[in-house]
Amino acid sequence: MGYKIYSKRQKELRGEVHDVYQYDLLPQSLRIQIKFLLDSLLGNESNYNYEPTVHGIYNQIYNDLREELGSFDLNNRNSKTEKYNTNAYAELNTFLINERNTELVLSYVEYAFRLAELLTEEYEHSKTQKSLKTLNLRFRENGVGFAFEEGHIIRIDSKLMHEEVIKPALKLLNMKEYEVTQDYFLNAYDHYRNKKYNEAIVECNKAFESTMKIICMNQNWELKGNETASKLIAACFKNKLIPDYWQTQLSSLNSMLCSGIPTIRNKYSHGQDALQEQAPEELVGYMLHTTASTIIFLIESQKRLH
């Protein structure tokens, strides 16, 4: 739908909009909206019953999810008997509407929309992208702090920070050469979503170091292969990744990079005692945003060297 219905406009006028995200529950309205989006992208029940291609797509999703979850029956995971001749479309919709585990529902949503992207890459690409924008709009409308970006569902804390920092970072990391770095960064988000804050910090640091290593290799700067973050930062400064006149203007940048991400990582990820203390959630959110903005800065700075 290309416009906001009357009731939504009135809610906005009254200030009844979600300005704080929640992450634990997926409202019934959101689940139903996602169902309709997937119907428009992959096919509805009629398409499933009469079109072999649509039938095959839903069967693939259903069987892949059962395999990943290690379950014979998607909607009764305690079953010891495998379900045969099932209506995959109906089973998936039952799962989407009724499953209580938010992470499992999001896993299905991510996989289904990711598959839709792949299937329509050469045709109806604009339709798929429009549906993905609508999906993210539905998340926001329902006050749910997730978004589908670059083939993955990630947690977001601030709409502004997400639009200005996280999305640009993911877009840059979607380049083939940064595939490993993107994995580290997305792992950090997954840990953050699952409240594994120390692990999230470790993955942030890996993404940060990986970005610098790739830049050094792209530029054929000499590496021994076991450089620490501080040595990689030093190499970036030495080889003018940041111009001299910027180094003067940003004299504290080197200190910030050396003492920011790596130092926080060291406090919460080394030693038996440190592992028993979880990093605060707000600190890890800051780390994710700092890592994303630093990655953007480094990759964009590299472009000036060519």
Side-chain angles (χ1 to χ4, degrees), residues 9-61:
R9 298 199 305 273
Q10 295 307 304
K11 282 185 177 182
E12 290 182 355
L13 289 173
R14 293 193 297 265
E16 298 174 8
V17 292
H18 297 283
D19 54 3
V20 177
Y21 292 129
Q22 61 92 9
Y23 309 92
D24 299 323
L25 299 173
L26 299 179
Q28 190 81 347
S29 58
L30 173 61
R31 293 169 184 249
I32 293 171
Q33 288 168 335
I34 290 173
K35 183 264 185 196
F36 285 124
L37 278 174
L38 288 174
D39 278 2
S40 68
L41 272 178
L42 300 178
N44 57 28
E45 186 170 17
S46 177
N47 300 134
Y48 175 80
N49 289 331
Y50 297 105
E51 297 179 25
T53 301
V54 176
H55 189 94
I57 291 170
Y58 279 107
N59 280 354
Q60 178 184 338
I61 296 173

Side-chain angles (χ1 to χ4, degrees), residues 241-252:
L241 181 64
I242 303 165
D244 288 337
Y245 59 88
W246 276 23
Q247 290 186 36
T248 300
Q249 296 294 325
L250 303 175
S251 59
S252 63

